[in-house]
């Protein structure tokens, strides 16, 4: 239950040590190297002209004025790319999307033409001077209307497509679930909308594409979370124009936050590559914030109808969720290919539900392609929101305490590994322990008493709980692939003669601190101090192939590969130690950093001595050197969990929701670096609060984006963000090499329902049963006004 | 486009440059002087990634023209470290894990550095208020507040 004591000394800095981050010295001095910091000799700049319409025919694109702007060298349109058959590209979900349009635009801010110029300002002038004649077409914004008969069919490019449905997906036993609902004592039902939001990493997206005409080599420095996958996609998409995978190098330099928004391939990248190939010079494209918020992939946009069936005593018997997923004009999500609705079927949550059924319909609308993550593993946030919200609805209906209702229905600890009704094998968990800890830390019973007193005085205070189960670490190759590439991840580890090491991974940190935590994994396994383990990622010419960092998969997959690679090195080190000590391998015992002879601990060889011998005195018949590679294919996903409790006070004058306290108890299994884990949770909680209270991208009937800049898209500042309180329970993953589970997204997934449940709880006595997010002061104030309690 | 000759002191070093009227200070620093520690995160003066000190006061350099810096003193993140020693604010961010991706960090540190110059002992509320024009998407601000407190304590014990 409690965290294990570290096996290594602080100097070695293995698992469990809060060592300071190895990446910080450069960032603290302004010496990071982000994409926009890269300047190559002769580099040109690209800017993009975008559509003001959400749906329109393009009648004419006139580039003459743009070409006359001083410094402008070229204007690229769909017609230019069509010559190379590069005007369309596949999405990661086997759909298609335009790179540049030849005849139609499908969403506001869609790329229409790209201008290449000698500097940034000239490129922007050129983009402003591109003249386009449009003929507006009817706009489909509402996904429900999109499915009505007679709705304009949007994807006329697809032969035979007669409606706007992309796919239908379902999981579970429909008949058994219906039966359980018929037999239930109580049924609660809620319409829940989770609006479109945007990850809005503080660094936007961009690239520098550099094609060398002499060598035929293309190097692309780009803001990508998955450089290897991008290389393969480029080779597949542009193979016909001569790009060959061995001549493509993708470099993901320092990344200023990703959160899922830097997984997709955006048209801007492809156009910059095409421009560099055609012109033969490096081309830089960096989008501005408005382009980022208006055209890059979105998250969420799930319209859910959630129902829960239960017995009178509160025993939950079945859950059923029907969802409409608005994907915009293309399914450009980044889910594993067999999972069009991601891992939404985790929607039975932390509860021992025998019956469950869920279905999702993907729909096209005139909005930018959506459905990527927002710091969450493939639709897990939506699933958790549904089950945690509807659980509170049930508590309200039965007049039960929401904590007691959860305790009653948790999957008991003894039932792990647990087979969920929707087909997952939860690896491990102890849900009551986490909730109990959160209740103790926040003083749950006292808060309930306080609430009663406050209510009597007319003050509005609420307490909300969320006891979530995550599903991360994709994933086992039998189920998980992206475009056919299995979702393993990798590590290549080399120990140098002086006992220092370099480890390269197939993932890519965007702030998670891999240079530190991966070094700690190697330190734990080999006893080489983390300070002497150099970690590198993100350069496809040097790093082993991997699927990248998203969906909290780095520690569960690449981290595991690091441990296994280190164990392979240790196996070889053991042979060398036996040779040096002239004993049999069976006579050796390992403790972090050295092998010693059983019963004669003074006879020992350190890993550093062994490393030297691997290059200077290795046994005859053995290969020299000390290195290993591992491609780790996880046997299962991991299931981090936690219980969060939020206390809110509501201002009756303004409707403002103030988070008074928020206690987050997380269980992510064994922890590599507690300091970094806490940092991840703080950030995740903030990105959970953001959509709960502030962020939304909505559209008017013409398809105009209503939150296309930081003026209207409200990323939380330090003022709205509370001082998060964190704690842990520790239930190691039984199948992961060092018992870790992944943590980067738990808090984003778990926080929103805790906040919503708290606000609803504060207003429950007024008859409020549900609120959609974001819960803005205006929304709350209108309710207070309507109920006659506004001040 | 009209060109102007400007003289700017940046991190103590004098620079004389020919710039377009419309050139933003942030682009002047990043692209002409190649001081890329100052970042850009928005186009509406909201994120603060571009914060530098102009005559000691924090400004968003995406909203200042390079010509407006003529004859003035600019300090960027590259100017914090003195004689190989980190400024207390840098040390604070390092010790308290006040950064993750590092993108907001230079702006955050410049704003906080200026806060500590005028208020060596700020309360948590004052720190939050001071950095409310700097967005961080990674840290949730808790450790940034601690970093500034750490720097304040270190500066107090130094003097
Ligand atoms: S770049 Fe965002 S405020 Fe200057
Ligand atoms: S550390 Fe990433 S934005 Fe602040």
């Amino acid at each position: 239950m409690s965290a294990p004591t570290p096996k290594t000394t602080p100097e070695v800095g293995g698992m469990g040590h809060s060592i300071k981050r190895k990446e910080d010295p450069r960032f603290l001095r302004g010496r990071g190297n982000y994409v926009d910091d890269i300047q190559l000799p002769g580099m040109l700049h690209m800017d993009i002209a975008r559509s003001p319409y959400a749906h329109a025919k393009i009648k004419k694109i006139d580039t003459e004025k743009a070409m006359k702007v001083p410094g402008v060298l070229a204007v690229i349109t769909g017609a230019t790319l069509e010559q190379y058959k590069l005007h369309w590209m596949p999405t990661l979900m086997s759909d298609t999307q335009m790179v540049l349009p030849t005849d139609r635009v499908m969403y506001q801010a869609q790329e229409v033409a790209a201008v290449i110029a000698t500097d940034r300002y000239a490129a922007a002038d050129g983009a402003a001077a591109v003249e386009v004649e449009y003929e507006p077409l009817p706009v489909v914004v509402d996904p429900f209307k999109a499915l009505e008969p007679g709705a304009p069919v949007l994807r006329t490019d697809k032969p035979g497509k007669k409606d706007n449905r992309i796919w239908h997906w379902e999981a579970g036993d429909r008949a058994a679930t219906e039966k359980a609902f018929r037999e239930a004592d109580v049924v609660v039902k809620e319409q829940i909308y989770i609006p479109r939001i945007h990850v809005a990493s503080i660094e936007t997206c961009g690239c520098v594409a550099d094609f060398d005409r002499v060598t035929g080599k293309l190097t692309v420095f780009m803001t990508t979370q998955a450089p290897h996958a991008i290389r393969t996609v480029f080779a597949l998409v542009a193979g016909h124009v001569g790009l060959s995978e061995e001549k493509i190098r993708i470099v993901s330099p320092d990344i200023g936050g990703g959160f899922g928004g830097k997984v997709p391939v955006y048209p801007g990248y492809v156009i910059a590559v095409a421009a560099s190939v055609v012109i033969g010079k490096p081309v830089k494209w960096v989008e501005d914030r408005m382009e980022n918020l208006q055209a890059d992939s979105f998250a969420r946009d799930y319209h859910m109808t959630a129902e829960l069936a239960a017995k009178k005593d509160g025993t939950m018997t079945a859950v059923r969720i029907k969802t409409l997923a608005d994907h915009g004009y293309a399914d450009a999500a980044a889910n594993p290919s067999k999972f069009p609705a991601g891992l939404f079927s985790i929607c039975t949550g932390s509860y021992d539900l025998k019956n469950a059924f869920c279905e999702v319909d993907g729909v096209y609308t005139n909005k930018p392609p959506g459905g990527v993550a927002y710091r969450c593993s493939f639709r897990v946030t939506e699933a958790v929101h549904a089950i945690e919200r509807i659980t509170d609805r049930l508590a309200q209906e039965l007049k039960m305490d929401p904590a007691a209702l959860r305790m009653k229905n948790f999957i008991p600890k003894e039932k792990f590994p647990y087979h969920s009704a929707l087909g997952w094998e939860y690896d491990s968990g102890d849900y009551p322990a986490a909730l109990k800890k959160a209740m103790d830390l926040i003083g749950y019973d006292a808060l309930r008493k306080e609430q009663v007193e406050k209510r009597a005085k007319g003050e509005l205070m609420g307490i909300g709980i969320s006891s979530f189960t995550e599903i991360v670490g994709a994933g086992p190759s039998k189920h998980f692939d992206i475009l056919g590439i299995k979702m393993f991840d990798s590590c290549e580890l080399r120990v140098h003669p002086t006992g220092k090491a370099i480890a390269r991974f197939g993932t890519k940190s965007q702030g998670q601190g891999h240079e530190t935590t991966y070094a700690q994994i190697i330190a734990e396994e080999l006893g080489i101090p983390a300070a002497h383990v150099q970690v590198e990622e993100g350069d496809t010419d040097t790093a082993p192939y991997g699927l990248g960092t998203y969906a909290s998969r780095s520690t569960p997959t690449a981290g595991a590969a690091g441990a296994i690679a280190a164990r392979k090195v240790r196996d070889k080190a053991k042979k060398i130690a036996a040779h040096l000590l002239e004993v049999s391998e069976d006579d050796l015992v390992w403790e972090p950093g050295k092998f010693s002879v059983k019963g004669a601990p003074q006879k020992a060889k350190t890993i550093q001595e062994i490393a030297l011998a691997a290059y200077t005195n290795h046994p005859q018949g053995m290969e020299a050197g000390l290195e290993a590679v591992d491609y780790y294919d996880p046997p299962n996903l991991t299931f981090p969990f936690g219980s969060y409790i939020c206390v809110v006070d509501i201002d009756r004058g303004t409707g403002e929701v103030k988070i008074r306290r928020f206690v987050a108890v997380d269980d992510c299994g064994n922890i590599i670096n507690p300091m970094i884990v806490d940092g991840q949770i703080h950030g995740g909680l903030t990105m959970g609060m953001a959509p709960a209270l502030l962020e939304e991208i909505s559209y008017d009937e013409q398809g105009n984006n209503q939150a296309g800049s930081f003026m209207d898209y409200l990323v939380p500042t330090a003022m709205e963000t509370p001082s998060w309180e964190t704690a842990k329970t520790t239930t190691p993953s039984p199948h992961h090499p060092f018992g870790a589970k992944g943590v980067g997204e738990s808090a984003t997934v778990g926080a929103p329902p805790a906040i919503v449940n708290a606000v609803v709880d504060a207003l429950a006595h007024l008859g409020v049963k549900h609120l959609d997010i974001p819960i803005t002061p205006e929304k709350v104030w209108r309710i207070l006004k309507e109920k006659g309690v506004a001040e | 486009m009209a060109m102007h000759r400007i003289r700017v002191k940046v991190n103590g070093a004098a620079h004389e440059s020919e710039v377009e009227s419309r050139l933003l200070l942030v682009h002047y620093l990043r692209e002409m002087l190649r001081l890329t520690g100052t970042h850009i995160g928005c186009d509406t003066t909201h994120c603060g990634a571009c914060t530098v000190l102009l005559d000691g006061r924090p400004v968003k350099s995406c909203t200042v023209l390079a010509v407006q810096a003529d004859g003035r003193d600019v300090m960027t993140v590259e100017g914090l470290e003195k004689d190989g020693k980190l400024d207390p604010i840098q040390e604070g961010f390092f010790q308290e894990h006040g950064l993750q991706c590092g993108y907001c960090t230079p702006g955050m540190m410049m704003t906080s550095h200026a806060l500590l110059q005028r208020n060596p002992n700020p309360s948590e509320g004052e720190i939050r208020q001071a950095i409310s024009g700097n967005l961080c998407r990674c840290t949730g601000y808790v450790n940034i507040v601690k970093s500034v407190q750490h720097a304040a304590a270190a500066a107090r014990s130094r003097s």
Side-chain angles (χ1 to χ4, degrees):
Chain A
M1 256 282 301
S2 58
T5 29
K7 281 193 228 125
T8 57
T9 60
E11 292 69 44
V12 172
M15 298 250 322
H17 289 291
S18 287
I19 64 169
K20 302 296 172 226
R21 298 204 323 168
K22 296 171 64 140
E23 37 277 271
D24 287 357
R26 66 177 187 274
F27 293 142
L28 289 167
R29 290 171 173 84
R31 296 282 299 278
N33 185 35
Y34 303 89
V35 162
D36 201 11
D37 301 341
I38 293 165
Q39 209 168 55
L40 301 178
M43 188 175 80
L44 304 173
H45 291 261
M46 181 174 104
D47 207 328
I48 294 177
R50 292 172 185 272
S51 168
Y53 293 102
H55 196 194
K57 225 184 228 142
I58 296 176
K59 297 181 73 176
K60 188 167 165 226
I61 301 179
D62 190 341
T63 62
E64 206 182 306
K65 278 205 186 127
M67 284 300 291
K68 287 203 179 117
V69 170
V72 169
L73 303 175
V75 182
I76 298 171
T77 63
T80 327
L81 296 182
E82 194 175 12
Q83 297 168 34
Y84 307 96
K85 293 202 171 48
L86 283 175
H87 54 313
W88 283 85
M89 64 177 178
T91 71
L92 295 177
M93 298 311 293
S94 304
D95 198 350
T96 51
Q97 83 179 92
M98 297 178 214
V99 178
L100 283 172
T102 51
D103 58 347
R104 254 190 348 149
V105 287
M106 301 296 285
Y107 60 90
Q108 188 184 53
Q110 185 179 339
E111 300 79 358
V112 174
V115 174
I116 313 295
T118 47
D119 78 83
R120 202 184 276 272
Y121 287 61
D125 287 345
V130 173
E131 292 177 317
V132 187
E133 216 179 291
Y134 297 97
E135 182 186 312
L137 293 169
V139 178
V140 181
V141 173
D142 181 333
F144 291 92
K145 289 195 182 141
L147 289 183
E148 281 171 8
V153 176
L154 298 181
R155 294 299 300 265
T156 47
D157 58 288
K158 290 176 185 271
K161 185 90 187 123
K162 293 203 177 58
D163 62 13
N164 294 314
R165 191 184 310 270
I166 314 173
W167 40 256
H168 172 86
W169 169 90
E170 56 185 56
D173 186 334
R174 187 196 291 261
T177 305
E178 278 172 4
K179 183 164 176 284
F181 268 89
R182 279 196 303 273
E183 291 166 359
D185 299 333
V186 206
V187 171
V188 286
K189 180 173 181 172
E190 205 54 70
Q191 311 287 339
I192 303 172
Y193 176 51
I194 309 211
R196 274 196 169 218
I197 49 174
H198 197 289
V199 296
S201 50
I202 305 300
E203 179 201 36
T204 59
C205 296
C207 69
V208 178
D210 181 17
F211 182 71
D212 185 323
R213 277 189 173 160
V214 176
T215 61
K217 179 140 186 172
L218 171 71
T219 304
V220 190
F221 301 90
M222 71 189 271
T223 47
T224 177
Q225 300 175 222
H228 294 275
I230 297 287
R231 185 186 72 195
T232 303
V233 169
F234 277 12
L236 294 174
V237 172
H240 64 282
V241 291
L243 284 185
S244 181
E245 194 162 0
E246 84 285 8
K247 297 234 164 136
I248 303 173
R249 175 181 172 216
I250 308 293
V251 184
S252 205
D254 287 327
I255 302 288
F259 313 114
K262 288 172 180 166
V263 177
V265 181
Y266 295 120
Y269 299 133
V270 179
I271 308 168
V273 167
S276 180
V277 171
V278 171
I279 301 170
K281 289 203 171 162
V283 174
K284 178 188 274 189
W285 166 69
V286 177
E287 63 182 9
D288 64 30
R289 177 59 59 190
M290 293 198 233
E291 296 178 291
N292 171 260
L293 286 174
Q294 294 177 25
D296 286 3
S297 288
F298 293 79
R300 318 281 197 260
D301 221 343
Y302 253 34
H303 300 260
M304 307 186 284
T305 305
E307 294 169 276
L308 189 59
K311 294 187 196 156
K312 268 201 273 316
D313 69 354
T315 307
M316 299 175 181
T317 54
V319 64
R320 180 162 62 189
I321 307 175
K322 188 173 168 56
T323 297
L324 217 52
D326 186 341
H327 275 265
Y329 101 101
D331 185 4
N335 295 327
S337 45
K338 294 195 190 80
F339 299 86
L343 307 180
F344 188 69
S345 52
I346 192 69
C347 62
T348 53
S350 308
Y351 309 109
D352 193 3
L353 275 156
K354 306 278 184 308
N355 302 288
F357 180 73
C358 62
E359 56 186 322
V360 184
D361 283 277
V363 183
Y364 289 128
T365 58
N366 286 118
K367 296 176 198 165
V372 302
Y374 171 107
R375 199 169 183 155
C376 112
S377 168
F378 315 125
R379 303 294 192 185
V380 176
T381 315
E382 290 90 327
V384 167
H385 202 97
I387 187 71
E388 285 306 297
R389 196 67 273 292
I390 196 86
T391 296
D392 257 45
R393 272 288 284 114
L394 179 64
Q396 197 177 2
E397 195 72 23
L398 294 170
K399 301 199 170 45
M400 267 183 87
D401 180 274
L405 180 68
R406 284 178 170 81
M407 286 290 191
K408 185 173 182 68
N409 287 285
F410 279 147
I411 299 162
K413 192 179 167 191
E414 317 73 67
K415 279 208 179 177
F416 290 91
Y418 172 82
H419 292 269
S420 81
L422 294 177
W424 299 110
E425 186 189 296
Y426 291 24
D427 64 348
S428 58
D430 185 353
Y431 302 153
L435 178 54
K436 168 114 192 8
K437 188 161 192 174
M439 290 169 75
D440 291 348
L441 284 169
I442 206 151
Y444 187 78
D445 298 334
L447 284 168
R448 284 286 172 212
K449 280 199 199 97
E450 181 192 340
Q451 188 183 31
V452 173
E453 289 158 17
K454 287 241 157 102
R455 263 190 198 163
K457 287 191 270 176
E459 289 173 36
L460 301 174
M461 163 199 172
I463 306 148
I465 303 176
S466 159
S467 293
F468 63 93
T469 292
E470 266 240 279
I471 172 169
V472 307
S477 62
K478 48 176 195 295
H479 300 306
F480 290 90
D481 68 83
I482 285 185
L483 290 175
I485 302 166
K486 302 295 187 185
M487 294 184 75
F488 55 81
D489 227 292
S490 59
C491 169
E492 183 191 279
L493 171 66
R494 294 186 193 156
V495 183
H496 307 314
T498 54
K500 318 293 192 292
I502 182 163
R504 294 186 169 115
F505 295 81
T507 46
K508 175 63 203 175
S509 179
Q510 311 122 38
Q512 293 90 335
H514 291 175
E515 287 167 49
T516 308
T517 51
Y518 285 167
Q520 289 184 262
I521 296 169
I522 307 299
E524 175 79 6
E525 298 292 339
L526 290 181
I528 297 173
H532 293 316
V533 181
Q534 171 79 14
V535 169
E536 290 183 3
E537 308 174 284
D539 183 339
T540 58
D541 267 8
T542 53
Y545 204 100
L547 271 274
T549 293
Y550 42 85
S552 294
R553 67 187 298 279
S554 300
T555 298
T557 60
I564 302 290
R567 288 174 197 176
K568 290 179 184 172
V569 161
R570 205 163 70 200
D571 287 345
K572 179 164 181 183
K574 191 175 193 182
K575 291 194 169 60
I576 299 171
H579 162 77
L580 297 175
L581 293 163
E582 296 176 338
V583 292
S584 121
E585 276 185 62
D586 298 339
D587 294 332
L588 291 175
V589 282
W590 169 255
E591 67 187 91
K594 65 178 176 207
F595 279 108
S596 55
V597 178
K598 268 183 212 157
Q602 73 289 355
K603 284 187 73 187
K605 287 288 170 193
T606 65
I607 188 74
Q608 287 78 11
E609 291 168 319
I610 296 167
L612 187 64
Y615 295 87
T616 58
N617 179 22
H618 58 287
Q620 286 300 307
M622 182 190 278
E623 270 181 50
L626 193 56
E627 58 185 69
V629 181
D630 189 70
Y631 283 76
Y632 186 79
D633 180 1
N636 188 6
L637 296 137
T638 58
F639 296 77
F641 61 92
S643 269
Y644 294 172
I645 305 184
C646 171
V647 187
V648 300
D649 297 298
I650 295 177
D651 186 320
R652 280 171 47 197
T654 61
E656 194 195 349
V657 172
K658 186 103 193 117
I659 298 180
R660 187 204 304 178
R661 282 186 72 195
F662 195 109
V663 166
V665 175
D666 273 275
D667 193 320
C668 56
N670 289 336
I671 287 175
I672 304 167
N673 182 320
M675 173 189 85
I676 288 180
V677 165
D678 262 348
Q680 289 289 304
I681 292 168
H682 292 158
L685 289 168
T686 309
M687 284 183 85
M689 177 194 74
L693 297 179
L694 298 161
E695 295 172 7
E696 171 172 19
I697 300 217
S698 63
Y699 289 82
D700 70 9
E701 281 179 8
Q702 303 308 312
N704 294 308
N705 185 320
Q706 303 293 291
S709 79
F710 277 166
M711 304 274 271
D712 302 296
Y713 192 69
L714 305 177
V715 169
T717 73
M719 296 303 280
E720 298 85 36
T721 310
S723 207
W724 309 109
E725 301 168 57
T726 60
K728 310 282 172 301
T729 60
T730 306
T731 312
S733 166
H735 64 76
H736 184 272
F738 51 89
K741 291 185 174 175
V743 74
E745 302 165 329
S746 289
T748 315
V749 166
I755 297 169
V756 181
N757 288 345
V759 179
V760 172
D761 184 55
L763 304 171
H765 60 296
L766 304 172
V768 173
K769 293 180 171 167
H770 174 71
L771 285 168
D772 274 334
I773 56 170
I775 303 177
T776 58
E778 183 192 340
K779 209 178 261 182
V780 176
W781 185 82
R782 283 180 191 281
I783 293 168
L784 300 179
K785 187 91 183 144
E786 187 196 303
K787 306 285 181 191
V789 294
E791 255 169 8
Chain B
M1 195 66 61
M3 299 296 282
H4 306 266
R5 174 157 295 273
I6 57 168
R7 288 188 182 80
V8 192
K9 208 177 206 188
V10 181
N11 301 329
H15 294 270
E16 198 171 324
S17 318
E18 284 280 313
V19 299
E20 262 190 40
S21 324
R22 63 175 176 175
L23 184 72
L24 297 174
L25 179 58
V26 69
H27 287 139
Y28 173 67
L29 295 170
R30 288 178 51 80
E31 294 182 8
M32 289 185 75
L33 304 187
R34 294 296 292 145
L35 293 169
T36 54
T38 303
H39 299 147
I40 300 171
C42 73
D43 22 52
T44 50
T45 324
H46 280 86
C47 76
C50 61
T51 308
V52 301
L53 304 188
L54 187 58
D55 291 336
R57 289 185 42 193
V59 295
K60 292 180 173 175
S61 63
C62 68
T63 316
V64 175
L65 295 168
V67 290
Q68 291 176 286
D70 186 21
R72 302 172 74 178
D73 208 326
V74 176
M75 180 172 162
T76 69
V77 64
E78 288 91 346
L80 282 174
E81 186 179 9
K82 295 262 152 45
D83 307 322
K85 198 163 166 39
L86 291 182
D87 185 86
I89 197 69
Q90 292 170 303
E91 195 58 40
F93 272 69
F94 182 54
Q95 294 298 335
E96 298 293 341
H97 188 31
L99 64 154
Q100 291 181 26
C101 78
Y103 202 77
C104 72
T105 313
M108 240 357 136
M109 291 195 302
M110 297 318 285
T111 301
S112 316
H113 178 84
L115 167 70
L116 295 180
Q117 298 291 310
R118 55 174 199 275
N119 178 359
N121 192 11
S123 65
E124 171 167 354
E126 286 168 334
I127 295 169
R128 286 182 178 269
Q129 178 87 46
I131 60 168
S132 64
N134 292 73
L135 297 177
C136 175
R137 201 55 157 163
C138 302
T139 64
Y141 304 106
V142 178
N143 288 349
I144 292 182
V145 170
K146 284 192 201 153
S147 304
V148 180
Q149 287 167 334
H150 188 286
R156 277 198 305 276
S157 69
R158 245 188 231 188
S159 58

